[in-house]
């Protein structure tokens, strides 16, 4: 009986571990190149880039890669509130009461401190607003000091599923990506577009970006690099002249040779063999004709 109970207990523990490993987010975005692989506009709302841009520039990151909040998430600032992780979207919290998950990004939630206008009312349409969220894990070591963040995620609600988040489109954001996004900050200290273009290997028209985005030009460049430039590259690769046709790689070339058709496969050995066979057949034919003429005259 004890062996049976022990076996059942072990199976339950194994099942729990399996479910935990499956539910935990395994996808990590480490750079802007990683962001380019996300299907923004179809699978993931474009608006999540605006929210992530704001968040990356709102937090503080020191030289030791310590991320600190600049607001109290318990106060509801920017619509932030506690996230219980009841559906096991993320890893379970470490033991103790020093860690908590929070979510932020609800544009319709009343709050004393609001998100900036470019997040609430984007200047471009079709951004898929108010589906995307940011989840971050806070380590509450000292209530008096700024709270430290050790994990950041972007996610989105599953359509028509209430408040459930989509595990298939939940991504952990590496601190290196946060640093790269911070280079596209807007305001008085923003970087020149030419520097950012060269830094991230992009080639948009600076005038078009500045004309459309104004003082948010660096943000516009970020969206161009992640979304528009990738789409332009795909369209160029799909042009007929850029498509590779495997059936034409070994297509024989017809060459006229004294009334005979020779197939040239662009291979020296095959070509030599073809020429040798052709010469032998020609020699045999000439010999046969000479023999017939000789017998006739005789």
């Amino acid at each position: 009986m004890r062996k049976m109970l022990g076996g059942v207990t072990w199976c339950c523990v194994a099942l729990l571990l399996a479910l935990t490993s499956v539910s935990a987010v395994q996808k990590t975005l480490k750079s802007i190149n990683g962001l380019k692989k996300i299907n923004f506009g179809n699978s993931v709302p474009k608006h999540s880039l605006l929210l992530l841009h704001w968040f990356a520039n709102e937090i503080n990151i020191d030289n030791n890669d310590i991320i600190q909040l600049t607001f109290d998430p318990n106060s509801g600032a920017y619509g932030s509130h506690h996230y219980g992780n009841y559906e096991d979207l993320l890893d379970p919290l470490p033991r103790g009461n020093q860690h908590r998950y929070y979510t932020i990004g609800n544009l319709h939630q009343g709050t004393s401190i609001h998100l900036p206008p470019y997040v609430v009312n984007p200047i471009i349409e079709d951004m898929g607003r108010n589906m995307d969220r940011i989840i971050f894990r806070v380590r509450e070591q000292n209530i008096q000091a700024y709270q430290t963040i050790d994990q950041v995620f972007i996610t989105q609600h599953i359509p028509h599923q209430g408040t459930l988040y989509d595990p298939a489109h939940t991504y952990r954001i590496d601190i290196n990506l946060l640093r790269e996004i911070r280079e596209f900050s807007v305001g008085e200290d923003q970087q020149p577009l030419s520097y950012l273009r060269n830094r991230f290997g992009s080639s948009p028209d600076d005038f078009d970006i500045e004309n459309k985005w104004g003082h948010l030009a660096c943000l516009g460049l970020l969206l161009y690099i992640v979304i528009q430039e990738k789409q332009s590259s795909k369209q160029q690769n799909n042009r007929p002249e850029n498509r590779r046709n495997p059936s034409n790689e070994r297509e024989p070339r017809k060459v006229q040779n004294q009334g005979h058709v020779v197939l040239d496969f662009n291979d020296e050995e095959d070509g030599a063999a073809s020429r040798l066979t052709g010469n032998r057949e020609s020699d045999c034919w000439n010999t046969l004709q000479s023999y017939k003429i000789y017998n006739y005259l005789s």
Side-chain angles (χ1 to χ4, degrees):
M1 185 66 178
R2 289 183 178 179
K3 291 183 178 180
M4 183 179 297
L5 291 176
V8 172
T9 302
W10 171 249
C11 290
C12 292
V13 172
L15 179 60
L16 179 60
L17 292 175
L19 291 175
T20 301
S21 62
V22 170
S23 62
V25 174
Q26 302 295 331
K27 303 176 289 292
T28 301
L29 303 179
K30 298 183 178 181
S31 66
I32 287 179
N33 286 332
L35 275 180
K36 293 179 182 179
K37 299 177 182 179
I38 306 301
N39 192 12
F40 288 104
N42 293 318
S43 302
V44 179
K46 297 178 184 178
H47 188 267
S48 57
L49 285 174
L50 303 182
L51 189 62
L52 183 59
H53 176 272
W54 165 80
F55 186 82
N57 287 280
E58 178 63 29
I59 58 178
N60 288 328
I61 304 178
D62 65 15
N63 295 330
N64 296 318
D65 289 342
I66 303 299
I67 307 175
Q68 291 183 331
L69 279 177
T70 57
F71 58 91
D72 182 6
N74 293 305
S75 68
Y78 305 111
S80 60
H81 61 84
H82 172 253
Y83 170 62
N85 193 34
Y86 301 120
E87 66 270 37
D88 294 326
L89 176 72
L90 308 175
D91 289 330
L93 293 174
R95 291 185 178 181
N97 297 321
Q98 293 185 338
H99 292 82
R100 295 188 76 184
Y101 283 120
Y102 292 88
T103 182
I104 196 169
N106 188 348
L107 303 179
H108 302 324
Q109 183 172 340
T111 176
S112 58
I113 305 179
H114 299 280
L115 292 165
Y118 76 82
V119 176
V120 179
N121 297 303
I123 65 174
I124 58 176
E125 299 178 353
D126 192 27
M127 298 294 288
R129 297 190 305 150
N130 213 37
M131 291 288 293
D132 51 305
R133 297 290 186 272
I134 286 179
I135 300 175
F136 52 93
R137 193 174 78 173
V138 171
R139 185 176 182 182
E140 300 174 319
Q141 290 180 314
N142 189 346
I143 299 178
Q144 302 299 326
Y146 284 119
Q147 295 170 319
T148 301
I149 300 175
D150 59 4
Q151 290 183 7
V152 179
F153 305 86
I154 58 171
T155 187
Q156 61 182 331
H157 284 300
I158 302 176
H160 313 298
Q161 295 294 325
T163 59
L164 291 178
Y165 290 126
D166 186 355
H169 297 103
T170 298
Y171 305 90
R172 183 170 177 176
I173 305 300
D174 188 81
I175 190 172
N176 180 68
L177 176 54
L178 292 174
R179 287 188 180 278
E180 288 188 354
I181 294 176
R182 286 167 65 88
E183 296 189 45
F184 293 83
S185 63
V186 296
E188 297 179 356
D189 298 329
Q190 64 183 1
Q191 301 276 11
L193 292 184
S194 57
Y195 166 79
L196 293 173
R197 280 194 293 104
N198 296 331
R199 167 87 167 82
F200 294 95
S202 181
S203 57
D205 189 316
D206 290 355
F207 177 79
D208 289 342
I209 297 290
E210 292 175 345
N211 186 51
K212 183 175 182 178
W213 289 87
H215 68 285
L216 299 174
C218 289
L219 172 61
L221 177 59
L222 174 63
L223 267 65
Y224 177 88
I225 293 174
V226 174
I227 301 176
Q228 187 173 345
E229 194 168 54
K230 180 180 68 173
Q231 293 175 348
S232 300
S233 177
K234 285 185 177 180
Q235 291 174 358
Q236 184 176 3
N237 292 334
N238 288 332
R239 290 179 180 176
E241 61 269 21
N242 293 331
R243 294 177 183 173
R244 186 178 180 183
N245 188 358
S247 62
N248 293 333
E249 292 182 358
R250 295 284 294 174
E251 183 177 356
R253 179 166 54 90
K254 295 183 179 180
V255 181
Q256 295 295 329
N257 184 14
Q258 298 180 355
H260 301 282
V261 177
V262 180
L263 299 182
D264 183 6
F265 288 92
N266 297 322
D267 188 293
E268 293 184 358
E269 293 182 359
D270 291 344
S274 298
R275 289 192 295 271
L276 180 59
T277 303
N279 292 336
R280 287 178 178 176
E281 291 177 354
S282 179
D283 292 342
C284 292
W285 174 261
N286 293 334
T287 302
L288 179 60
Q289 294 299 321
S290 299
Y291 179 79
K292 288 182 178 180
I293 294 173
Y294 176 80
N295 289 336
Y296 177 79
L297 294 176
S298 300

